[in-house]
Amino acid sequence: MGGMPEIAAHIARMPGSGVRHILERALRRPGTIILAVGEPGEIAGDRIRDAAARAWRDGSIRYTPNGGIPALREAIRDKLARENGLVVDLEQVWVTVGATQALHLAMALTLSRGDDVLVPDPGYTTFTMNAHLLQATPVPYPLHPSRAFQPDLDELESLVTPRTRAIVVNTPSNPLGSTFARPTLEAMLALARRHDLWVISDEVYERFTWGEPHVSPALLDADGRVLSVFSMSKTYAMTGARVGWLVTPPGWRQTMLRVQETVVSCVDEPSQRAAVEALSGDQEAVARSAAHYRENLDAATSLLAARGVRHLAPTGAFYLWIDVSHVSAGDVVAWCERFLDEEGVAVAPGSAFGASGEGLIRVCVASDRTELLDGLARIPAPA
């Protein structure tokens, strides 16, 4: 016989990340303007980096409690009360390796093999990838441009079957830059109650809204069905530090101890110390970042409008959802590859975020404004 054994069949069927594919290709091409990945242009402030450096120097690099160091869990609890109106116990807060691990945990805790999970389309690639990894089935619920990318509640309800166990809600949206208003969230929570579904709420871009303030779905939760995912990455320009957290319903301590120990044991202490400093110190850098992103969005949308390039006016996050169907010829991935090779600009193909993203691209505006506008100016305008 001989040869290597085969990996698990469900892993072989698991889709890859269309965004990462473009990024890896771009990194092999020096001088590329990279607008494909959600990377803030700033760097976390000195006091945040110094907190991590002190932990390394002091030798604070041992195991921490599964849920995170007490100082960070307390800082997160205080932040949730102050900014989100959420009053939670410390044992509901579990520090994770970025929001990526928090999302994985939320799905692993609520989905069994063969279950369905409703995911937004267009939506963040990891929602679908996680479901496949867990041998569950991602069922896209469309966010139509004709409805300003708001869910159609009747259509959403029609997708629920006896196999449906959870629904993923992402506001502000990656990749769309759209947000769900409170009445929409209330309707989605009511639907979840009618069908006894878990709600997994991705709130990574909570600090960046352009109009109505962010509403956490857990604020509307009457019966403990919402699991909330947060991150330090975008708010504090700490993408590589890998710190996020999952907020569970009450009473999950013993369950969470087991699953966190199994997956990562704990997050490294230097990164946790940096997160304490970021959450507990002044928030001026966050306000500056938000103003910078908003100014970049305004400049970018003005340029696109002047050139007649169709796009969604964002109400949150730091992305632009841009229509290139006039040049992509039904294969936006191939067009993005050509655009990278010929124009030296990396953008994310919309189809990476769901079937409805065909003919569209996602552009991150969190980088240098000159580079951003240079890259956008190279997108062909409609004839």
Side-chain angles (χ1 to χ4, degrees):
M1 301 269 300
M4 186 184 297
E6 292 186 0
I7 63 170
H10 72 282
I11 299 296
R13 293 192 299 268
M14 181 180 168
S17 167
V19 178
R20 178 61 64 171
H21 166 73
I22 287 289
L23 177 62
E24 295 292 343
R25 191 174 174 127
L27 293 175
R28 295 194 295 269
R29 190 183 189 282
T32 298
I33 296 174
I34 297 178
L35 306 177
V37 65
E39 182 77 80
E42 297 90 348
I43 297 174
D46 289 345
R47 60 182 176 77
I48 296 172
R49 301 199 309 276
D50 287 346
R54 278 196 305 275
W56 278 102
R57 286 196 300 269
D58 295 346
S60 298
I61 50 173
R62 299 183 181 277
Y63 287 126
T64 76
N66 291 126
I69 59 175
L72 179 52
R73 297 176 92 181
E74 290 164 5
I76 291 169
R77 177 197 59 192
D78 294 347
K79 176 264 184 228
L80 292 171
R82 182 176 66 246
E83 296 178 8
N84 303 84
L86 298 176
V87 178
V88 302
D89 184 86
L90 282 184
E91 295 301 337
Q92 292 176 250
V93 174
W94 293 82
V95 179
T96 58
V97 183
T100 303
Q101 190 218 335
L103 280 168
H104 177 74
L105 276 183
M107 287 193 172
L109 287 158
T110 57
L111 299 173
S112 297
R113 180 178 179 178
D115 286 344
D116 286 356
V117 54
L118 298 171
V119 298
D121 177 12
Y124 181 45
T125 54
T126 301
F127 302 150
T128 296
M129 294 170 73
N130 263 334
H132 283 288
L133 183 61
L134 295 164
Q135 301 188 62
T137 302
V139 176
Y141 65 89
L143 301 174
H144 298 293
S146 60
R147 295 180 55 87
F149 296 98
Q150 300 297 298
D152 180 320
L153 272 298
D154 291 335
E155 183 178 33
L156 182 58
E157 193 144 23
S158 74
L159 297 171
V160 177
T161 74
R163 294 188 305 277
T164 310
R165 292 281 289 157
I167 179 170
V168 175
V169 177
N170 176 209
T171 179
S173 163
N174 173 13
L176 296 171
S178 58
T179 52
F180 293 169
R182 186 182 181 116
T184 299
L185 294 172
E186 288 172 341
M188 296 179 85
L189 264 292
L191 183 152
R193 281 192 291 274
R194 284 196 299 277
H195 297 283
D196 197 24
L197 306 180
W198 295 105
V199 176
I200 299 169
S201 174
D202 176 346
E203 303 177 47
V204 167
Y205 296 92
E206 57 167 337
R207 291 298 293 267
F208 307 123
T209 59
W210 323 118
E212 294 298 312
H214 172 70
V215 177
S216 291
L219 194 61
L220 313 173
D221 185 13
D223 46 12
R225 67 180 63 252
V226 176
L227 292 86
S228 305
V229 171
F230 295 88
S231 175
M232 302 294 296
S233 292
K234 316 298 181 174
T235 303
Y236 296 99
M238 291 171 59
T239 51
R242 310 310 303 133
V243 182
W245 66 90
L246 176 68
V247 182
T248 73
W252 286 29
R253 172 180 162 77
Q254 293 305 319
T255 296
M256 290 302 299
L257 287 171
R258 293 197 304 272
V259 296
Q260 183 77 327
E261 178 67 21
T262 301
V263 178
V264 295
S265 181
C266 59
V267 175
D268 70 281
E269 185 163 349
S271 290
Q272 292 191 61
R273 291 289 174 193
V276 172
E277 183 60 39
L279 289 168
S280 305
D282 73 69
Q283 303 296 297
E284 288 179 16
V286 179
R288 283 197 306 273
S289 295
H292 171 61
Y293 302 152
R294 181 60 191 265
E295 289 164 4
N296 277 9
L297 281 167
D298 289 346
T301 53
S302 294
L303 183 150
L304 293 172
R307 301 184 64 239
V309 177
R310 293 181 298 276
H311 60 280
L312 173 66
T315 54
F318 46 54
Y319 299 110
L320 279 173
W321 191 241
I322 301 171
D323 188 343
V324 294
S325 59
H326 56 284
V327 288
S328 61
D331 188 347
V332 74
V333 172
W335 180 84
C336 286
E337 291 174 351
R338 287 197 305 276
F339 190 55
L340 173 59
D341 294 341
E342 296 170 8
E343 297 292 342
V345 182
V347 297
S351 57
F353 305 98
S356 66
E358 180 55 59
L360 296 134
I361 58 172
R362 187 199 72 176
V363 164
C364 175
V365 307
S367 57
D368 175 78
R369 190 172 308 159
T370 302
E371 274 202 347
L372 168 66
L373 298 179
D374 183 6
L376 291 177
R378 301 184 196 186
I379 295 173

